[in-house]
Amino acid sequence: MNSIYERHVAVGMHSQDVAGRSKIRWKDPEELVLLFGLLLLPFQAVKLSIAQPAHLWVLFALAMMLLYRSVKISVAELVVYIAFLYFAFTLTFFQDYPRIKEYEQLIKFALFYPSFYLVGRWLGGRYANRDFPLGYGFLFLFLAFQYVTQALELPVIFEALDFGQGALHGTFRERNWLAVYFLLFSYILVLRDKTTKGFVLFIVFNAIVMLLSGSKTTFIAAGIAFLLHSRLPIWIRIFPTLIGAVFYISLFSDELSGDKLAVKLEEERGLALLTSLDLLKDNPLGFGWGFVEAFFSNSWIVVKGLGEGTNSVFSVPLDLWIIAGPIGFLMWLVIFVGVGNSSIKILAPIAALSFLNPLHQSELVYFFIGVLVSYAKFSRPRLSTH
């Protein structure tokens, strides 16, 4: 019987047509699952009771994955995740702190986030050695659809926001999730095509998304991806990186200096960092789910962007430590940095992005991380296919 890797390579060799273009295989059930997932993940404004369309999709995909017996998870991932759930659960229900929506977070961390991750691992393994069924043509059209959705305020799929006025968020809950979705999708595409043309498309596309959404940190992650994965000599990669840095600084110079920078440091992210570190200094073992929202809703320290309706601080490693202590930080190392699953280099842009964005609160991030981890595992030939 062929190994799992050999089957993946065989599928990948069969997937290319004569011109090297990918085709949608309408009779392939796994490809249809992937297509539905990629299309449903952005519709975050749609509410089906308390769920989004992607939640129902992932449950169906999870059942299909189990039916195919295609569960892929490393020992490090399994042990760390079980330990995280145990410590977070214990800290939530056995420490006397005020809580808000702890059950909602428990369901997400115990069911939905690992489900999206596992489904991403499954589907990512299928496409490690063959092209994605959708490419930049779809991304540009879908970005245009997001713009039209917001411009026309289409009912059901669009929800107006009280913050980030003027920034594109389309069918997403906020602009950052739109930018992260397009960044991670295009990142998968550029890993399949590391040519100069591929990286030009990748950088140009993410620059357009940055200009429309105003999400600045995703463009930095795109630059890190270029530095790490471009096949150009390292000394040549420096020049476009410097050009991108100058473009970035000139574009956002108003926000990176003066009063606006002071607000971020003294009233927003900087203050959130200092307050969170003080909390962990008092209790380094963590506080469990629901604590962040309750604390910043009732604290005399007012931090912009935190309070009722926001259940995480701006930084993933910091917030996971608040939830589950050192085990939460260990989970960040495994899931977002790739420690223990051979994907540190591929996940580096996401790890960098996670310092300033609450990526652990988005299902789409877990899905794309799962895809990328499988890509890292299966994309390097180790066995002969003959």
Side-chain angles (χ1 to χ4, degrees):
M1 182 179 292
N2 292 335
S3 70
I4 293 176
Y5 179 76
E6 289 173 323
R7 291 199 297 273
H8 277 288
V9 173
V11 170
M13 294 173 64
H14 181 68
S15 70
Q16 300 290 328
D17 64 13
V18 176
R21 296 183 297 269
S22 61
K23 293 181 177 180
I24 295 178
R25 300 160 185 80
W26 298 107
K27 295 182 179 180
D28 184 343
E30 290 167 302
E31 186 142 312
L32 293 179
V33 170
L34 174 65
L35 290 173
F36 274 108
L38 294 173
L39 291 172
L40 290 177
L41 277 168
F43 289 92
Q44 298 177 345
V46 180
K47 296 293 189 297
L48 303 171
S49 184
I50 61 173
Q52 299 171 10
H55 292 142
L56 302 183
W57 165 79
V58 81
L59 294 178
F60 172 81
L62 184 65
M64 188 173 176
M65 181 190 74
L66 294 174
L67 181 65
Y68 282 19
R69 298 179 182 178
S70 300
V71 180
K72 298 179 181 69
I73 187 168
S74 70
V75 174
E77 291 167 336
L78 183 61
V79 171
V80 168
Y81 201 79
I82 291 175
F84 171 81
L85 289 179
Y86 173 78
F87 279 93
F89 183 90
T90 301
L91 291 168
T92 299
F93 296 104
F94 292 95
Q95 286 198 23
D96 187 21
Y97 292 111
R99 312 276 174 190
I100 295 179
K101 294 185 293 192
E102 68 270 25
Y103 291 105
E104 178 183 315
Q105 293 182 64
L106 171 61
I107 292 171
K108 285 186 176 182
F109 276 98
L111 175 60
F112 285 111
Y113 294 156
S115 296
F116 277 93
Y117 180 78
L118 289 174
V119 169
R121 288 286 303 261
W122 167 44
L123 295 175
R126 292 282 295 171
Y127 289 90
N129 289 281
R130 70 182 191 189
D131 290 340
F132 245 45
L134 300 174
Y136 280 104
F138 164 76
L139 287 183
F140 277 104
L141 287 174
F142 201 47
L143 182 61
F145 169 76
Q146 297 294 327
Y147 183 86
V148 171
T149 297
Q150 185 159 330
L152 300 180
E153 296 189 2
L154 296 179
V156 181
I157 63 174
F158 174 79
E159 181 180 354
L161 302 177
D162 296 329
F163 55 92
Q165 298 294 330
L168 178 66
H169 64 87
T171 62
F172 294 81
R173 288 181 299 170
E174 58 179 87
R175 64 181 185 176
N176 285 330
W177 298 136
L178 178 144
V180 169
Y181 173 85
F182 284 111
L183 168 72
L184 298 183
F185 197 135
S186 60
Y187 185 38
I188 291 172
L189 298 181
V190 83
L191 288 174
R192 299 292 298 144
D193 180 13
K194 296 182 181 180
T195 63
T196 301
K197 178 183 177 183
F199 271 103
V200 168
L201 264 174
F202 175 69
I203 296 297
V204 169
F205 178 75
N206 281 283
I208 293 172
V209 173
M210 177 184 66
L211 292 172
L212 290 173
S213 67
S215 182
K216 299 177 286 296
T217 50
T218 52
F219 193 65
I220 296 175
I224 294 173
F226 170 72
L227 281 174
L228 289 177
H229 298 290
S230 173
R231 291 171 177 166
L232 294 171
I234 185 64
W235 63 272
I236 295 180
R237 300 180 215 175
I238 299 298
F239 291 104
T241 303
L242 291 175
I243 293 173
V246 171
F247 168 71
Y248 179 90
I249 293 172
S250 62
L251 186 65
F252 297 106
S253 59
D254 184 48
E255 297 184 33
L256 298 175
S257 61
D259 293 339
K260 290 188 176 180
L261 180 62
V263 168
K264 284 188 176 294
L265 294 177
E266 298 172 10
E267 301 179 24
E268 194 183 89
R269 294 173 187 261
L271 181 58
L273 172 63
L274 293 177
T275 306
S276 299
L277 291 177
D278 285 340
L279 288 171
L280 292 177
K281 182 180 179 181
D282 292 336
N283 180 16
L285 296 179
F287 299 87
W289 289 300
F291 172 80
V292 167
E293 185 173 359
F295 176 82
F296 286 100
S297 296
N298 299 285
S299 173
W300 63 271
I301 302 174
V302 179
V303 180
K304 285 190 174 181
L306 294 181
E308 191 168 354
T310 304
N311 54 31
S312 65
V313 295
F314 302 107
S315 175
V316 175
L318 189 58
D319 192 61
L320 290 178
W321 195 307
I322 291 174
I323 292 173
I327 297 297
F329 183 75
L330 185 59
M331 178 178 151
W332 173 74
L333 289 175
V334 171
I335 302 297
F336 291 88
V337 183
V339 175
N341 53 30
S342 305
S343 54
I344 294 175
K345 185 177 179 181
I346 279 183
L347 293 185
I350 301 175
L353 190 61
S354 73
F355 278 101
L356 295 174
N357 288 272
L359 300 183
H360 61 306
Q361 295 286 342
S362 176
E363 293 84 354
L364 69 88
V365 173
Y366 289 96
F367 172 75
F368 280 115
I369 287 180
V371 173
L372 290 167
V373 169
S374 279
Y375 177 85
K377 182 177 181 180
F378 289 115
S379 62
R380 295 186 297 271
R382 291 170 295 175
L383 299 173
S384 172
T385 59
H386 300 291

